[in-house]
Amino acid sequence: ASIAAIVPMSAFASINFFTDFTIAADSRIPVWAFHGLLDSTCYASATTQPFIERMNEISPNLGRWTKLPLRHSGWNTYYSPSYRENINGMQMNIYEWMLTKLKNAETLLATIIDNFTARIESGATVLDWRTSSESDSQKFIIERSEDGQHFKEVGELPSRATNGNSTQTLNYQFIYKFN
């Protein structure tokens, strides 16, 4: 089995503490660690902080650490779906963040489409969609199928994202006139 991401809560240092982090960093496994700054059971400064620092030395920006003035039971706050943080311009909880991670990151979709509609209007199919995030996006290729198995390209639209990257809402429309 492969690990796509790790979310440790008030991590305790093991004998292989730094080796474990090196393995995670070398394997490019993203980590979002949580540790309350008032935790007196295991101190963040001796566990989570050096873990994330070491990880980011090996693989910059791979480790993330949320530090709040909470005690050892702070995970009750972090596990709540209503707890959110701004990550790359999007408000996410840990569950949403983990769903953005795949073991083979090159297969991760770089565009988030948060609204899509299709309608027939004046003998044409009108497609409208909205993206909330685009990363390295060049264009959208539109395909159609009569049987849901075999698809044929019917057009394309260039990305409206500046240099292919955006965290702002962008709207698109494609009209396909069929015979």
Side-chain angles (χ1 to χ4, degrees):
S2 296
I3 298 172
I6 301 171
V7 181
M9 301 283 175
S10 298
F12 181 76
S14 68
I15 294 171
N16 300 318
F17 184 65
F18 285 104
T19 304
D20 294 344
F21 286 101
T22 302
I23 292 169
D26 287 343
S27 300
R28 306 271 315 135
I29 299 171
V31 173
W32 184 2
F34 294 83
H35 205 132
L37 295 175
L38 303 178
D39 186 342
S40 59
T41 302
C42 56
Y43 295 97
S45 61
T47 56
T48 302
Q49 181 178 351
F51 172 85
I52 296 299
E53 287 174 356
R54 176 77 174 124
M55 181 167 213
N56 285 332
E57 285 173 15
I58 297 167
S59 294
N61 301 316
L62 196 59
R64 176 185 184 82
W65 177 24
T66 293
K67 13 180 188 211
L68 292 175
L70 299 173
R71 299 202 184 293
H72 188 66
S73 61
W75 54 76
N76 292 327
T77 298
Y78 306 132
Y79 279 137
S80 171
S82 63
Y83 177 81
R84 297 177 164 312
E85 286 190 25
N86 184 326
I87 300 174
N88 299 325
M90 296 182 64
Q91 292 294 319
M92 291 187 192
N93 61 39
I94 63 170
Y95 310 105
E96 293 162 331
W97 178 82
M98 290 188 329
L99 288 171
T100 69
K101 308 302 174 196
L102 297 174
K103 183 59 187 159
N104 297 318
E106 65 272 6
T107 62
L108 183 64
L109 288 177
T111 298
I112 297 174
I113 297 175
D114 63 9
N115 188 22
F116 184 90
T117 60
R119 67 183 185 281
I120 302 292
E121 188 176 288
S122 303
T125 301
V126 180
L127 306 175
D128 291 293
W129 67 94
R130 178 179 66 214
T131 64
S132 58
S133 175
E134 293 184 41
S135 178
D136 297 325
S137 183
Q138 294 178 0
K139 62 185 173 183
F140 294 90
I141 298 173
I142 294 85
E143 298 179 335
R144 82 181 283 271
S145 172
E146 292 186 20
D147 62 6
Q149 302 281 327
H150 303 90
F151 290 83
K152 177 179 100 175
E153 183 177 330
V154 295
E156 62 182 54
L157 280 179
S159 169
R160 293 186 175 170
T162 305
N163 297 319
N165 299 297
S166 174
T167 56
Q168 297 181 1
T169 299
L170 298 173
N171 294 300
Y172 294 90
Q173 184 176 74
F174 181 81
I175 300 173
Y176 175 70
K177 295 188 181 190
F178 49 89
N179 298 332

